[in-house]
Amino acid sequence: MGTQYFMVLTDPVEGQDAAYNDWYDNQHLADVLAVDGFVSAQRFSLSHQKGPEGALVSKFLAIYEMETDDVDATLATLLARLGTSVMPVTPALDDRNLGMFVATALAAPRRRA
C-alpha cells in the first residue's frame, strides 16, 4: 500500500472559533479516521505565512495519513460521507476558502546527523 498525505486548509466562521475547534477535535477527526484508508490525523495552527498581497490565508491545517493503493476511491468515500449523518459538518466551518490537496513523499525524511 502507498502512503499519501491528505492536507486540508480551513477556517472558522468569524466569531465561531470555539464551536469550530470543538467540532474538529471532538468529532470530525474521528469521523475521517472511520473511513477505510485513513490511519492518522493531526491538526495545526498556521503561523508565519506569506501569501500574495490581498490573498486570504487559512488559520488551520489538518494532515491525514492514508494507507491506500486507490487514493481516488478513498477520497470519494470521504467526500460521499461529508455532510451526512455519519460525517456532519458544523456551521462554524467557513467553506469559502477550503483548500484540499494530496501529497506523496518522494523519499524518506532526511534527518540532521
Side-chain angles (χ1 to χ4, degrees):
M1 279 194 178
T3 301
Q4 310 287 325
Y5 297 91
F6 178 53
M7 291 171 252
V8 182
L9 295 163
T10 58
D11 290 294
V13 169
E14 188 172 337
Q16 297 293 312
D17 291 44
Y20 161 87
N21 285 311
D22 180 64
W23 164 77
Y24 223 120
D25 292 334
N26 297 309
Q27 177 161 5
H28 189 62
L29 293 178
D31 290 346
V32 173
L33 289 173
V35 176
D36 286 342
F38 285 87
V39 297
S40 72
Q42 187 174 12
R43 291 186 65 219
F44 300 85
S45 175
L46 297 174
S47 61
H48 298 85
Q49 297 180 64
K50 281 190 169 183
E53 191 171 326
L56 296 174
V57 182
S58 295
K59 289 183 177 181
F60 297 99
L61 169 69
I63 300 177
Y64 303 93
E65 183 178 356
M66 298 185 295
E67 290 289 339
T68 181
D69 288 326
D70 192 341
V71 173
D72 292 334
T74 301
L75 292 177
T77 300
L78 172 73
L79 295 174
R81 292 181 183 188
L82 194 62
T84 69
S85 61
V86 296
M87 192 178 289
V89 175
T90 180
L93 172 69
D94 185 348
D95 60 4
R96 294 176 297 164
N97 296 319
L98 185 71
M100 297 183 285
F101 51 100
V102 175
T104 304
L106 298 175
R110 293 185 184 190
R111 303 282 182 207
R112 183 171 33 159

